[in-house]
Amino acid sequence: MLKILEDVAISAGKAILEVYHAGPNVTLKQDASPVTEADERAEAIILAGLAKAFPDIPVIAEESVAAGRIPSVEGGRFFLVDPLDGTKEFINKRDDFTVNIALIENGTPVAGIVYAPAKGVAWAGEKDNVEKLLVDENFAVTSRTRIGCRMPSSDLTAVASRSHNSPETEAFLTEKGIKSTKSVGSSLKFCLVAEGDADVYPRFGRTMEWDTAAGDAVLRAAGGMTVDLDGKPFRYGKTKQATDSDFANGHFIAWGRRG
């Protein structure tokens, strides 16, 4: 499965970069968040690729949900897709945007790929196998390196969002005695923890499941775990929530190895 997700993500990334270099046209969705032609073209490519390879697995994709196209996930197995995570970075010509595809089984992300086309790098993982891929200008994979979360030390490093820091995040860092932080956009934060460049990614702001599932899948395959504020494994497929919309996330902590 992972090879198919890899091919689909790279094809979507190619379309994104075509728009990136030409200059995107930006519109606003009903929630005032930006969307570009790149989001829409990438999602169409991903949906077509997944439908061809896995016709019986439903797909929850960001732009489709915004348009009201929401299949049932009651069977417990479905894909979560964010065709362009980090649209604001994309619009501002920063290269921290990613393509995210994840497979969810019974609430758990079991396979996923995060592809950063402007950086020429991807992270893909399932079960206990996770690799960092280098992708050249012809969209060919030129190298694969096995990665994994590092063992914790007394001097932890956190990774945080460039645009979504919060007092809760600062309080968490203080409580844990974390003085070293790295800042990066989109789902790349999960990948830094997965490859051992950081130890923890705390998020005390609202996200959607398609924002986090692929990075979470990579992290778990690398030996880490994402948990809610009660310390329980973070779950996906959250519908009929009393206090928020379907597929909305609560706060979470993404940890590398815990010892």
Side-chain angles (χ1 to χ4, degrees):
M1 170 176 282
L2 208 56
K3 182 60 169 67
I4 295 172
L5 299 188
E6 176 186 313
D7 291 343
V8 170
I10 289 175
S11 295
K14 180 179 179 181
I16 287 171
L17 284 186
E18 289 172 356
V19 178
Y20 183 70
H21 294 308
N25 293 317
V26 182
T27 58
L28 296 179
K29 292 186 282 190
Q30 289 186 344
D31 64 359
S33 61
V35 63
T36 72
E37 179 189 355
D39 298 76
E40 295 162 349
R41 287 179 59 184
E43 184 161 304
I45 290 168
I46 295 168
L47 292 178
L50 294 180
K52 181 179 179 180
F54 310 104
D56 297 327
I57 303 179
V59 182
I60 300 297
E62 180 178 14
E63 305 312 327
S64 294
V65 170
R69 299 187 295 272
I70 309 172
S72 172
V73 298
E74 291 183 357
R77 194 170 191 239
F78 63 99
F79 288 108
L80 276 167
V81 170
D82 190 342
L84 178 52
D85 183 33
T87 300
K88 291 179 181 178
E89 282 82 2
F90 176 84
I91 292 168
N92 291 312
K93 292 293 184 178
R94 297 193 293 266
D95 59 5
D96 285 357
F97 54 87
T98 59
V99 178
N100 294 340
I101 308 173
L103 176 66
I104 308 300
E105 291 185 351
N106 299 316
T108 300
V110 297
I113 182 165
V114 175
Y115 173 40
K119 291 179 175 289
V121 63
W123 296 259
E126 62 180 344
K127 298 180 180 177
D128 296 324
N129 176 45
V130 61
E131 295 179 324
K132 184 176 182 178
L133 288 58
L134 298 184
V135 184
D136 68 13
E137 64 275 7
N138 296 314
F139 302 96
V141 176
T142 58
S143 74
R144 299 174 182 272
T145 305
R146 288 289 300 269
I147 61 171
C149 299
R150 67 190 183 191
M151 295 300 295
S153 68
S154 58
D155 185 16
L156 299 179
T157 297
V159 60
S161 172
R162 280 183 173 158
S163 53
H164 297 285
N165 202 0
S166 67
E168 292 90 346
T169 301
E170 294 300 326
F172 173 87
L173 298 178
T174 299
E175 176 191 347
K176 301 298 182 183
I178 299 174
K179 298 178 181 179
S180 176
T181 61
K182 297 184 177 184
S183 182
V184 69
S186 71
S187 54
L188 294 173
K189 293 180 283 293
F190 285 99
C191 300
L192 288 185
V193 180
E195 67 179 4
D197 281 347
D199 302 288
V200 61
Y201 161 37
R203 182 58 186 258
F204 294 93
R206 188 176 187 267
T207 58
M208 301 300 291
E209 292 187 5
W210 48 77
D211 296 322
T212 61
D216 194 357
V218 169
L219 176 65
R220 297 189 197 206
M225 176 57 69
T226 301
V227 298
D228 62 23
L229 297 189
D230 293 324
K232 298 177 181 178
F234 206 57
R235 305 289 293 174
Y236 293 83
K238 300 183 290 294
T239 60
K240 301 176 182 178
Q241 301 191 89
T243 59
D244 210 333
S245 62
D246 288 356
F247 308 108
N249 286 331
H251 301 168
F252 63 82
I253 312 294
W255 288 99
R257 296 188 189 276
R258 303 297 299 276

